[in-house]
Amino acid sequence: MRQPVPVLTDVAVATAVVSAVTSGPAAVVAALALLGAGLLFGVWKRRTPVQAQGVGWYLRRTAPAAVVAGAAVYFYPGTSDGATLVSALGILVVLGLLKAALTLLVGGARRRGLGLTRALVVGPERHVAGVEYRIHLNPEAGLVCAHSHVVGGHPDRTPADNLALVTRLLDDHAIDHVVVCTGGDDGPDTLVRDIVRIASPTVDMTVVSPVRLAGTEATRLGDLAFTGLARPSWGTDAGKRVIDVLGAIALTVVCLPLMLVTAAAIRLGDPGPAVFCQRRTGRQNRMFTIFKFRSMVDDAERLKIDLLDRNVADGLLFKAENDPRITRVGAVIRRFSVDELPQLLNVIRGQMSLVGPRPLPIVFDRSDLFAQVRHTVRPGITGLWQVKGANALSYEDMIDLDCAYVATRSLGFDLKILLQTLPAVMVRRDPY
């Protein structure tokens, strides 16, 4: 968990190392550079006990931060190239040795049964026992199996039933961590999916899969890969808001000529206003007015009733193939998502974020459990849904991606999604 003590310790170590190499305020400059880079690269973000094993994960994230600190020393007047190199390497080596010593200390305590996190293991019967055994053999992972639950055999179970069951499992056994098992060849049981959606904002989670199916961020325990899904760290929302405001203002300035040309083209191509306003559901289910460049005829909402039989979407989405309401200019700006640019104003006003779940034009019932999960954060202009396929994905896929984002969001993750947005838009082949 990101706490002040680890952050201050690392900054103090960096200050001491640079002070031993150089003189003057260069150490303070390097420490501030390490602090900023560490926050950006996620050195101190919240991690599950499984994710925080060993030293490798720490060094991979501290190395670029140490390089930034060394660069700060380099550009400080009066320092030599040798001092820069020694400062960067010294910070990385000393912090690595300190982390290694702490890892050995914590690992020894966990082998004696101290400091273990109570975990609930959920999954198919043929996988649960194997996962429990590996957790028992590897106490350094920081987990102890407090309870297990075998899924399957209840096809008629409703989301409300699953919510009650998940709540009971977490409360009755004082669960702080959920381990979800999958063999890679099992279909998604409804309870497993609902646990990921419901529990992820309140407890840390780990998804277990065969090593051959795991990503680079997984921790290997035997032939299984444990991929952690940690809740956001403190400071994430405040930092995100600062980045949203600064980013939205900068993008507005850069895109202003394009926005003016788009507005003029819309007015010349079809009678009616250039900007379309619509009520959408935002954070905590609060309604707000979203701004978009108008891509349809002026009375598109009235004509939607006549197209309901052509809806090819599922869930709460509406998509009509060859929608006659879309104008010629609208088809172009929708293809490249230029119609979303006025939402930068929504970001500046605090109603939206640059990255987050897309706001939908409906009022959600309080019984919609997963809508409540996705609306615990501000909606975004772009998000996982957009970069993973947008309208080519189903409503269920959108909900899963949105819930995954809510559970794992971080400043670094937002930056990654922003960088993936433009390539995703350019290669997208959206027929709707």
Side-chain angles (χ1 to χ4, degrees), residues 65-416:
V67 171
V68 172
V73 175
Y74 175 80
F75 287 107
Y76 190 81
T79 56
S80 63
D81 294 346
T84 299
L85 180 61
V86 173
S87 295
L89 289 177
I91 290 173
L92 183 61
V93 170
V94 174
L95 287 178
L97 291 175
L98 178 62
K99 181 62 67 175
L102 291 173
T103 298
L104 292 174
L105 179 65
V106 172
R110 287 173 174 172
R111 284 191 294 273
R112 296 193 299 272
L114 302 176
L116 297 177
T117 300
R118 294 175 61 84
L120 166 69
V121 181
V122 180
E125 183 175 7
R126 66 193 186 95
H127 297 303
V128 167
V131 171
E132 287 181 323
Y133 182 64
R134 286 164 179 79
I135 290 176
H136 175 71
L137 288 180
N138 296 272
E140 296 85 358
L143 301 180
V144 59
C145 183
H147 188 70
S148 60
H149 183 83
V150 175
V151 301
H154 301 281
D156 57 343
R157 194 160 42 199
T158 66
D161 296 333
N162 286 343
L163 174 62
L165 177 58
V166 172
T167 303
R168 186 169 69 252
L169 289 172
L170 298 180
D171 293 344
D172 291 353
H173 303 283
I175 300 300
D176 296 312
H177 195 110
V178 175
V179 179
V180 178
C181 311
T182 172
D185 52 354
D186 299 294
D189 184 274
T190 57
L191 178 62
V192 171
R193 169 174 282 184
D194 290 354
I195 283 177
V196 175
R197 291 175 172 179
I198 297 168
S200 53
T202 58
V203 300
D204 293 331
M205 304 193 70
T206 293
V207 177
V208 182
S209 60
V211 169
R212 69 181 188 278
L213 301 177
T216 57
E217 294 295 320
T219 300
R220 179 169 179 166
L221 297 183
D223 59 335
L224 296 180
F226 287 60
T227 304
L229 303 175
R231 288 167 285 169
S233 308
W234 59 262
T236 297
D237 290 341
K240 180 181 175 69
R241 181 61 188 145
V242 172
I243 294 174
D244 280 343
V245 173
L246 296 179
I249 293 175
L251 287 172
T252 300
V253 173
V254 171
C255 297
L256 185 59
L258 174 61
M259 296 170 70
L260 293 175
V261 170
T262 301
I266 293 172
R267 291 299 303 271
L268 293 173
D270 184 77
V275 177
F276 172 70
C277 301
Q278 189 180 54
R279 299 291 287 173
R280 297 275 179 115
T281 303
R283 187 179 187 182
Q284 304 300 337
N285 289 340
R286 289 191 293 266
M287 302 298 294
F288 71 99
T289 301
I290 194 173
F291 305 110
K292 299 184 68 173
F293 280 127
R294 183 171 59 86
S295 60
M296 295 185 176
V297 295
D298 197 25
D299 57 346
E301 286 298 303
R302 181 183 61 82
L303 297 176
K304 179 180 177 180
I305 300 176
D306 301 329
L307 300 173
L308 293 178
D309 59 338
R310 295 171 58 178
N311 183 23
V312 297
D314 57 354
L316 302 176
L317 303 178
F318 178 84
K319 309 171 192 173
E321 191 171 1
N322 299 320
D323 194 329
R325 301 173 300 164
I326 300 177
T327 64
R328 285 185 296 178
V329 174
V332 176
I333 63 175
R334 286 166 69 100
R335 168 63 184 83
F336 296 101
S337 296
V338 176
D339 58 324
E340 312 287 358
L341 288 179
Q343 291 162 36
L344 293 171
L345 178 59
N346 291 114
V347 175
I348 296 173
R349 297 173 65 175
Q351 299 162 330
M352 294 182 62
S353 172
L354 293 177
V355 180
R358 284 297 298 167
L360 300 179
I362 54 176
V363 179
F364 287 92
D365 188 273
R366 291 188 179 275
S367 63
D368 191 332
L369 306 175
F370 310 128
Q372 293 182 37
V373 172
R374 71 191 299 275
H375 289 145
T376 57
V377 299
R378 287 188 180 91
I381 296 179
T382 186
L384 268 182
W385 181 63
Q386 282 81 357
V387 301
K388 295 298 184 182
N391 284 333
L393 303 178
S394 67
Y395 175 75
E396 287 294 318
D397 291 334
M398 182 190 73
I399 292 294
D400 285 339
L401 289 171
D402 287 343
C403 291
Y405 171 78
V406 171
T408 61
R409 68 190 188 278
S410 67
L411 299 181
F413 195 21
D414 280 6
L415 178 60
K416 181 179 179 180

Side-chain angles (χ1 to χ4, degrees), residues 42-45 47 50-62 99 103 217 219:
V43 175
W44 306 292
K45 79 173 186 178
R47 288 179 174 83
V50 178
Q51 289 176 303
Q53 291 185 82
V55 184
W57 66 268
Y58 179 77
L59 293 178
R60 286 194 301 271
R61 289 161 179 80
T62 306
K99 181 62 67 175
T103 298
E217 294 295 320
T219 300

